[in-house]
């Protein structure tokens, strides 16, 4: 009995010991799990807190430093550190913050950040070393232990704020009134293919109203054109006529009139243009919005926010008119009275003069909308993210002179190459003011003096015009008949020819050393800024150079450059004698012709060619630049 009691007591004590040991083990395991759980949760929270610090620092650095290219790395780092400090993250004591500016691109469907001093994105990398765990710290105290006591955490954030500008280079075709430019009426009449009374045209007013691309697209529905099913690409590539574009503009602005934003009288001019386009040949000529606006980036995409940028209505319509007439030869009816009056006493010797003006638009200008800065990988002559070109055209002015002793058909042609302007940078100040920097390379140009018929040849060829075709067209010299007429022949014939070319380095790559124009807004200046090239030559200089290079040759007895020897076959024999021996004796004739040509060519240049070029947005040796609008999108995290 005693033995049995002893055994029972022993069993109970053994069970109690086993329970106690199990309790200790289980408690230790539970404690270990709790410690591990707490450590894991603590590390997760530290990582999340660090990511929040990086996100806020990147977004605030972008928001407070502006966007669109440029930016001091030190200033960015300071802005990021100030933001981090407000979130309890102070650089130092195992904490660091790395800040750099760059750009984000698409590679294989993924967004990739690349360092770029002119990029519009900011990357912030935050690092923080935290205690690994309580157990790890205890283990780290043991001799020979390699358990790390600190765990490095890292968080990265990339933020960007899109900045887009709309700007033009010499597109203010509808920005002048008829009083300051009497040639505007005939020019617009030619571009519209009909007569147009522009007495209502005046600076400012309706033509300076801003319309966004989004408003134009939505306005298509107001005139019965449904483009919702074709997407943005389809909208940009859809063909519309100038008249339809005017219909959309009238419909959109009519809504503003009804809302009280515009007065009803403000639509008078637009309705005049609308009616003229309906009645003229412009109704049949289709263009697309993509021909008028340069929107796509290097990846061929339309950047977000570009649809909200406001475009000046006058610029948009001016570009549309030139684009619709690309490749056409326009004849402009201009009176010769002003030219005759400018010749003073020389006009007494002129019985009549038929003034001929022919305009060929090779490439129309564009309005550019896009971000600032350089391309990382240039494409040919395209080195910048957003570029715009001025018109490329050929302008011929001819006059027929019937003097007492001589008759001549004079032709003067200006080939204006395509100038280029780029958006260098966009910055936003702390007060909300914005600054846009443009760089410009003014248009190249050449002036030719020769026979009117040969200078007009490219216009009568029937095909589309291009720079190569213009340059390759042969220019015949002017034939001056002395002491005779077209029916009776002449005793002597004189041929005159000359050319003058102005260039700027032989390429169209815009560099930081090219002329710069700075714009501040809003509001943005209503008038364009003229930028003059460092080595370009104005029209007056080109004409002076042209007149200084006159090639005058005299042929007697009907001899000419085709080899016809004229009366008794003596022309060819006497040509050599005249040009090599007798020319000095006939210098008074040469001087007289030069004296007659100089005021006439100068007057044609100053009173006809120069005003027409300015109306078309071309100033030789300089460019008119204008920022139409700048839009800053919301700051967002992109990586």
């Amino acid at each position: 009995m005693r033995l049995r009691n002893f055994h029972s007591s022993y069993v109970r004590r053994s069970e109690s010991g086993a329970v106690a040991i199990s309790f200790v083990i289980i408690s230790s395991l539970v404690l270990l799990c709790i410690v591990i759980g707490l450590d894991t949760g603590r590390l997760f929270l530290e990582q999340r807190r660090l990511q929040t610090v990086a996100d806020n620092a990147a977004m605030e650095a972008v928001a407070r430093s502006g966007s669109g290219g440029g930016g001091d790395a030190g200033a960015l780092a300071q802005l990021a550190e100030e933001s981090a400090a407000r979130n309890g993250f102070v650089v130092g004591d195992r904490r660091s913050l790395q800040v750099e500016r760059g750009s984000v691109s698409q590679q294989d469907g993924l967004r990739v950040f690349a360092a770029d001093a002119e990029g519009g994105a900011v990357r912030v990398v935050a690092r923080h070393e935290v205690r690994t765990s309580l157990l790890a710290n205890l283990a780290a105290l043991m001799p020979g232990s390699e358990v790390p006591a600190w765990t490095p955490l890292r968080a990265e954030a990339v933020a960007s704020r899109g900045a887009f500008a709309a700007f033009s280079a010499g597109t203010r075709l509808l920005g002048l009134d008829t009083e300051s430019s009497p040639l505007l009426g005939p020019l617009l009449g030619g571009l519209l293919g009909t007569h147009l009374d522009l007495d209502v045209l005046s600076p400012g007013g309706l033509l300076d109203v801003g319309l966004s691309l989004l408003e134009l697209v939505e306005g298509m529905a107001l005139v019965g054109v449904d483009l919702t099913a074709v997407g943005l690409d389809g909208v940009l590539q859809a063909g519309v006529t100038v008249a339809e574009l005017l219909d959309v503009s009238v419909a959109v602005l009519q809504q503003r009139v009804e809302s009280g934003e515009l007065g009803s009288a403000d639509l008078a001019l637009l309705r005049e243009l609308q009616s003229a386009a309906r009645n003229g040949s412009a109704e049949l000529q289709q263009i697309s919005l993509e021909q008028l606006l340069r929107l796509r980036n290097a990846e061929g995409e339309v950047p977000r926010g570009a649809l909200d940028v406001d475009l000046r209505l006058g610029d948009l319509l001016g570009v549309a008119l030139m684009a619709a007439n690309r490749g056409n030869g326009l004849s402009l009816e201009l009176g010769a009275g002003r030219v005759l009056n400018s010749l003073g006493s020389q006009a007494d010797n002129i019985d009549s003069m038929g003034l001929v003006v022919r305009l060929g638009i090779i490439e129309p200008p564009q309005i550019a909308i896009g971000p600032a800065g350089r391309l990382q990988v240039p494409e040919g002559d395209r080195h910048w993210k957003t570029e715009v070109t001025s018109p490329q055209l050929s302008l011929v002015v001819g006059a027929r002179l019937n003097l007492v002793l001589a008759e001549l058909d004079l032709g003067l042609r200006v080939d204006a190459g395509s100038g280029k302007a780029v958006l260098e940078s966009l910055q936003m100040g702390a007060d909300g003011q914005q600054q846009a920097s443009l760089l410009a390379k003014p248009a190249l140009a050449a002036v030719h003096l020769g026979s009117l018929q040969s200078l007009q040849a490219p216009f009568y060829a029937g095909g589309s015009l291009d720079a190569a075709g213009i340059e390759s067209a042969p220019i015949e010299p002017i034939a001056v008949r002395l002491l005779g007429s077209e029916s009776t022949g002449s005793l002597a014939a004189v041929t005159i020819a000359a050319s003058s070319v102005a260039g700027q380095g032989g390429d169209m790559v815009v560099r930081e050393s090219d002329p710069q124009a700075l714009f501040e807004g809003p509001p943005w200046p209503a008038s364009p800024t003229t930028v003059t090239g460092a080595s370009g030559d104005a029209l007056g200089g080109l004409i002076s150079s042209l007149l200084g290079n006159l090639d005058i040759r005299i042929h007697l007895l009907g001899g000419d450059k085709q080899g016809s020897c004229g009366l008794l076959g003596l022309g060819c024999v006497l040509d050599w004698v005249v040009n090599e021996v007798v020319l000095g004796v006939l210098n008074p004739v040469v001087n007289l012709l030069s004296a007659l040509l100089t005021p006439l060519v100068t007057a044609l240049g100053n009173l006809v060619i120069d005003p027409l070029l300015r109306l078309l947005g071309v100033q030789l040796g300089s460019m008119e630049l204008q920022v139409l609008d700048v839009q800053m999108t919301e700051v967002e995290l992109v990586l």
Side-chain angles (χ1 to χ4, degrees), residues 143-221:
S145 173
E146 297 181 359
V147 177
W150 299 92
T151 296
L153 300 181
R154 180 184 184 276
E156 177 180 336
V158 178
S160 69
R161 180 182 191 178
F164 303 93
F167 64 102
S168 63
T171 58
R172 292 180 61 87
L173 174 62
L174 301 178
L176 302 174
D177 64 319
T178 52
E179 182 177 354
S180 64
S181 182
L183 300 181
L184 181 59
L187 174 61
L188 283 180
L191 291 172
L192 286 167
T194 184
H195 173 71
L196 180 64
D197 183 7
L198 290 180
D199 290 339
V200 296
L201 185 61
S202 60
L206 181 68
L207 295 177
D208 284 326
V209 170
L211 288 178
S212 70
L213 181 57
L214 184 60
E215 284 182 299
L216 291 176
V217 173
E218 293 175 343
M220 295 289 185

Side-chain angles (χ1 to χ4, degrees), residues 62-68 161 426-435 632 635:
V62 170
R64 294 179 60 192
S65 67
S67 182
R161 180 182 191 178
L426 286 173
Q427 296 294 329
M428 184 176 70
D431 57 354
Q433 285 294 101
Q434 301 160 350
Q435 184 183 76
M632 295 279 187
V635 179

Side-chain angles (χ1 to χ4, degrees), residues 392-604:
Q392 185 178 358
L393 51 88
S394 185
L395 180 61
V396 174
V397 177
R400 171 168 292 186
L401 273 72
N402 184 11
L403 306 176
V404 176
L405 298 179
E407 295 179 359
L408 71 152
D409 292 330
L410 178 148
L412 190 62
R413 189 179 86 199
V414 177
D415 294 335
S418 183
K420 183 183 290 186
V422 305
L423 184 58
E424 181 186 25
S425 66
L426 286 173
Q427 296 294 329
M428 184 176 70
D431 57 354
Q433 285 294 101
Q434 301 160 350
Q435 184 183 76
S437 170
L438 303 183
L439 297 174
K441 176 158 285 189
L444 312 180
V447 178
H448 307 282
L449 183 68
S451 132
L452 178 60
Q453 184 175 1
S454 68
L455 291 179
Q456 292 187 97
F459 300 120
Y460 299 125
S464 62
L465 298 175
D466 55 30
I470 292 288
E471 293 171 358
S472 62
I475 300 176
E476 301 292 337
I478 301 171
V480 183
R481 290 179 293 276
L482 295 178
L483 302 175
S485 65
E486 210 172 328
S487 58
T488 62
S490 60
L491 178 63
V494 179
T495 61
I496 306 172
S499 293
S500 181
V501 179
Q504 284 207 320
D507 63 37
M508 286 307 296
V509 177
V510 181
R511 300 176 174 83
E512 284 84 351
S513 57
D514 286 321
Q516 182 189 61
L518 295 177
F519 299 84
E520 292 185 352
W524 300 98
S527 301
T529 296
T530 300
V531 175
T532 302
S535 59
D537 193 8
L539 180 63
L542 280 173
I543 291 179
S544 297
S545 175
L546 181 82
L547 294 171
N549 294 325
L550 292 179
D551 181 11
I552 302 179
R553 296 179 180 272
I554 301 177
H555 309 269
L556 289 180
L557 301 177
D560 56 31
K561 64 182 184 58
Q562 281 82 17
S564 173
C565 294
L567 181 64
L568 301 178
L570 298 178
C572 293
V573 176
L574 293 178
D575 270 352
W576 180 85
V577 177
V578 169
N579 287 289
E580 300 295 332
V581 179
V582 190
L583 188 58
V585 179
L586 297 179
N587 272 338
V589 177
V590 175
N591 293 336
L592 175 62
L593 286 173
S594 179
L596 290 173
L597 285 175
T598 296
L600 176 60
V601 171
T602 302
L604 290 176

